[in-house]
């Protein structure tokens, strides 16, 4: 596989998943992750296996999904060849860890993180290997302290790979996690990168390890600061409404969701990012000057948090 040992990547990703879910159970203190190990049946479009871990109904996390998958397929789906048309229809191998955590308290933000590797090549050609991933934060109520902390950890994780990486990947994140049909960012961003092959496969693998290893440092201090804040029906209604925007992005725009569904992936695992409860309201507008209005007016406007 393109000058990198796939077993080493797999071992890292499985270990990362277990470290993150164990830490989350300790924070929640009540619920435990259900572990669902799966493998694709012979004859299906994709072959491979994975581990889906899901926590529901916890004291801190209403729903938290963290999945590992390692699959092979006979041809890359269109969502994976937008920037590599020469690989259209090529056999591929893909593995990664993806997570989305939906907290119960509306003052605790939803978070997403993903690290992945894809290798593909036509028969008789050397496979091409590239990496992608990142993490981003979606608050329902904005706190500058939290935004600065999250972006600082993202910056520090990328700093060893060049000072250009954080500003590049931060802008990429702002542009990618954007609901075009709403004209609105999904959250306050973070970092996002795709089709990364700079410096070779070893450098790409080191980059996703740095991002993956920094996730708990980026998110858990925010959870600890906000999880005990009092909230009521007003905050809950706002949280559920804003979750609707999260669902809209994941189903309409997210390339990861499209990749999984187009390639014949496991639907339950692909959609583990969905929140357990959500609401929509026609032409809903928050009260001017309210904390709810400040979210869209101030926090969801892309800015430099550092």
């Amino acid at each position: 596989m393109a000058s990198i040992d796939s077993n080493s990547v797999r071992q890292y990703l499985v270990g990362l998943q277990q470290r993150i879910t164990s830490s989350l159970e300790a924070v929640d203190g009540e619920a435990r992750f259900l572990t669902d190990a799966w493998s694709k049946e012979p004859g299906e479009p994709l072959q491979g296996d994975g581990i889906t871990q899901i926590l529901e109904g916890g004291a801190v996390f209403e729903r938290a999904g963290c999945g590992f998958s390692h699959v092979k397929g006979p041809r890359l789906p269109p969502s994976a060849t937008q920037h590599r048309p020469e690989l259209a229809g090529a056999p591929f191998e893909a593995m990664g860890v993806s997570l989305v955590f939906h907290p119960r308290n509306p003052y605790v933000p939803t978070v997403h993180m993903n690290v992945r590797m894809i290798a593909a090549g036509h028969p008789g050609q050397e496979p091409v290997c590239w990496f992608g991933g990142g993490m981003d934060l979606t608050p329902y109520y904005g706190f500058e302290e939290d935004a600065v902390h999250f972006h600082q950890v993202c910056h520090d994780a990328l700093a060893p790979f060049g000072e250009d990486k954080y500003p590049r990947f931060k802008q990429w994140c702002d542009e990618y996690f954007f609901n075009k049909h709403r004209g609105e960012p999904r959250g306050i961003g973070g970092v996002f990168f795709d089709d990364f092959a700079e410096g070779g496969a070893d450098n790409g693998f080191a980059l996703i390890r740095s991002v993956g290893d920094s996730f708990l440092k980026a998110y858990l201090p925010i959870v600890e600061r906000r999880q005990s804040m009092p909230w009521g029906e007003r905050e809950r209604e706002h949280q559920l409404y804003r979750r609707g925007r999260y669902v809209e992005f994941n189903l309409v725009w997210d390339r990861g969701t499209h990749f999984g569904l187009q390639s014949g992936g496991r639907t339950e695992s692909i959609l583990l990012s969905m929140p357990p409860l959500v609401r929509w309201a026609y032409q809903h507008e928050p009260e001017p000057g309210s904390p709810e209005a400040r979210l869209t007016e101030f926090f969801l406007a892309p800015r430099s948090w550092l």
Side-chain angles (χ1 to χ4, degrees):
M1 176 188 289
S3 77
I4 193 167
D5 176 22
S6 71
N7 289 328
S8 298
V9 181
R10 179 186 173 105
Q11 185 176 7
Y12 168 74
L13 291 171
V14 171
L16 175 67
Q17 180 190 35
Q18 191 55 52
R19 279 188 284 138
I20 290 173
T21 55
S22 296
S23 296
L24 214 70
E25 285 182 343
V27 170
D28 191 89
E30 184 174 292
R32 293 292 179 265
F33 277 91
L34 166 71
T35 298
D36 181 15
W38 54 269
S39 60
K40 303 296 286 184
E41 295 294 329
E44 292 196 41
L46 284 183
Q47 292 298 301
D49 65 296
I51 305 167
T52 297
Q53 291 190 279
I54 187 85
L55 178 153
E56 295 183 293
V60 177
F61 296 98
E62 195 168 11
R63 191 168 199 250
C66 184
F68 162 78
S69 65
H70 182 189
V71 296
K72 298 180 181 180
R75 60 188 62 85
L76 274 170
S79 58
T81 57
Q82 293 176 3
H83 304 296
R84 297 176 184 273
E86 74 280 3
L87 292 175
F92 72 94
E93 178 176 8
M95 68 179 87
V97 165
S98 182
L99 64 83
V100 175
F101 297 157
H102 292 289
R104 186 175 296 279
N105 189 322
Y107 288 108
V108 182
T110 285
V111 72
H112 160 255
M113 192 276 288
N114 170 261
V115 285
R116 59 190 178 274
M117 185 201 69
I118 299 177
H122 291 286
Q125 297 178 347
E126 177 72 17
V128 177
C129 181
W130 67 96
F131 297 81
M135 64 178 104
D136 63 283
L137 200 66
T138 304
Y140 305 101
Y141 289 90
F143 297 93
E144 286 192 62
E145 177 186 13
D146 297 349
V148 171
H149 168 80
F150 191 82
H151 276 269
Q152 186 66 58
V153 175
C154 288
H155 171 276
D156 294 348
L158 297 175
F161 302 90
E163 284 302 317
D164 65 311
K165 298 301 184 295
Y166 170 76
R168 270 177 55 197
F169 295 170
K170 191 265 187 193
Q171 181 178 353
W172 201 342
C173 189
D174 289 340
E175 294 171 352
Y176 180 79
F177 292 103
F178 190 86
N179 268 321
K180 300 180 183 68
H181 63 293
R182 298 282 190 181
E184 176 186 276
R186 187 173 82 172
I188 62 159
V191 291
F192 175 82
F193 57 98
D194 202 2
D195 298 293
F196 185 83
E198 298 171 21
D202 288 338
N203 189 58
F205 183 27
L207 178 65
I208 67 166
R209 290 200 309 270
S210 186
V211 171
D213 292 346
S214 67
F215 168 72
L216 292 172
K217 181 180 178 182
Y219 185 56
L220 290 190
I222 298 172
V223 176
E224 291 163 1
R225 276 198 292 268
R226 308 299 168 200
Q227 65 182 0
S228 298
M229 292 181 66
W231 56 276
E233 189 62 27
R234 170 176 170 164
E235 291 84 0
R236 177 62 162 173
E237 287 293 299
H238 176 66
Q239 177 195 47
L240 296 183
Y241 173 72
R242 292 304 309 177
R243 279 180 178 176
R245 301 298 173 90
Y246 202 92
V247 170
E248 289 176 21
F249 177 85
N250 280 21
L251 295 182
V252 177
W253 300 108
D254 186 60
R255 281 177 62 191
T257 301
H258 296 169
F259 177 92
L261 296 176
Q262 290 172 0
S263 62
R266 190 170 183 265
T267 303
E268 282 293 308
S269 299
I270 295 164
L271 298 180
L272 60 74
S273 64
M274 294 296 109
L277 295 171
V278 64
R279 67 182 289 263
W280 280 268
Y282 184 70
Q283 293 188 340
H284 172 77
E285 293 291 339
E287 179 184 341
S290 66
E292 292 81 10
R294 190 167 182 262
L295 176 76
T296 52
E297 293 168 0
F298 178 77
F299 278 88
L300 297 191
R303 68 186 64 246
S304 172
W305 291 105
L306 301 185

